[in-house]
Amino acid sequence: MDSSRLLDNYLGTPPQKNISKFFTKVLCCLIFLFASLIFTSYSDENLALYHKWVFEENFNFMAFKNFYQNIASSNPKKDEDKMVFGQTLEYTNITPYQNGQSLEIGVDVPINSLGGGIVVFVGEKEGFNKTIIIQGSDGYDIWYGNLENIDINIYDYIEAGKIMASASDSLYLLITKDAKYYTYEEYQNQI
């Protein structure tokens, strides 16, 4: 028996299902692509609406990923983005800061992602300095501010616990879901 069959037997997935999943995913991508092309070519108003919706507003990538995974997979994995490692931050003091909090930390501390998700912003934000915004697979948007040595790019998919950057003295943290702000402790209690 060859190694691919051994792996398929071990995973309990017949080879036909893998091919079927692949073609289902390709078909879903093609349908989305053609629907987008037809919608945008219909009129200039549709093109402007599509451009605004995809490029100017906060497109919910994780909702699309979860929707796509539910359609294209016969056995969708739930909570695959939750990992035990790296879901806490070490700090000495925590104080309110704007709509979030400021965590007092050491010097040149590596900053791990609290949860898995898509990076939707990397750059400067007023009051937050160098900032990373992650749209989490759990529905939370998390802003990490006052960063140094950022090591990720916009639209990267990152897993929980991945080192994204470093920070010194203080880390600004803003956590939001459904237009409501959460403290770091409330977020930790939710996961």
Side-chain angles (χ1 to χ4, degrees):
M1 197 178 259
D2 66 357
S3 61
S4 65
R5 283 194 178 165
L6 286 173
L7 181 61
D8 287 333
N9 287 340
Y10 176 75
L11 295 174
T13 307
Q16 295 82 13
K17 285 198 174 191
N18 289 339
I19 293 170
S20 166
K21 284 182 190 179
F22 173 74
F23 283 119
T24 303
K25 289 180 180 184
V26 168
L27 183 62
C28 287
C29 288
L30 288 173
I31 289 170
F32 179 75
L33 175 68
F34 288 132
S36 296
L37 289 172
I38 291 168
F39 180 76
T40 56
S41 66
Y42 186 69
S43 72
D44 290 337
E45 292 173 0
N46 287 358
L47 180 61
L49 179 67
Y50 185 83
H51 187 273
K52 180 180 178 189
W53 182 63
V54 172
F55 296 112
E56 295 175 12
E57 292 182 3
N58 191 6
F59 183 75
N60 194 341
F61 289 99
M62 292 313 300
F64 181 77
K65 175 191 172 275
N66 293 336
F67 170 75
Y68 177 75
Q69 187 174 15
N70 285 333
I71 287 177
S73 176
S74 61
N75 186 18
K77 296 178 184 175
K78 299 295 180 192
D79 295 327
E80 72 176 28
D81 300 323
K82 283 192 173 182
M83 298 173 66
V84 176
F85 174 73
Q87 289 194 348
T88 60
L89 295 170
E90 299 293 325
Y91 60 91
T92 56
N93 190 24
I94 192 166
T95 56
Y97 182 79
Q98 294 191 11
N99 289 326
Q101 296 175 306
S102 175
L103 285 70
E104 289 181 20
I105 57 175
V107 176
D108 202 29
V109 175
I111 304 300
N112 296 356
S113 170
L114 295 175
I118 300 287
V119 178
V120 294
F121 181 84
V122 175
E124 293 277 333
K125 285 279 189 189
E126 188 175 332
F128 281 85
N129 302 328
K130 288 184 180 177
T131 303
I132 297 172
I133 301 175
I134 297 177
Q135 191 177 76
S137 57
D138 55 4
Y140 288 91
D141 289 350
I142 302 178
W143 295 32
Y144 303 85
N146 202 33
L147 300 174
E148 305 165 347
N149 306 319
I150 295 175
D151 191 29
I152 58 173
N153 298 309
I154 192 163
Y155 303 126
D156 281 353
Y157 177 81
I158 61 169
E159 295 181 358
K162 177 177 174 26
I163 295 176
M164 306 177 299
S166 64
S168 293
D169 300 325
S170 62
L171 169 70
Y172 304 145
L173 196 63
L174 183 125
I175 303 169
T176 182
K177 181 178 182 181
D178 300 327
K180 183 180 177 209
Y181 295 103
Y182 293 85
T183 64
Y184 175 65
E185 294 82 11
E186 289 172 332
Y187 175 76
Q188 286 296 88
N189 292 333
Q190 296 290 325
I191 58 172

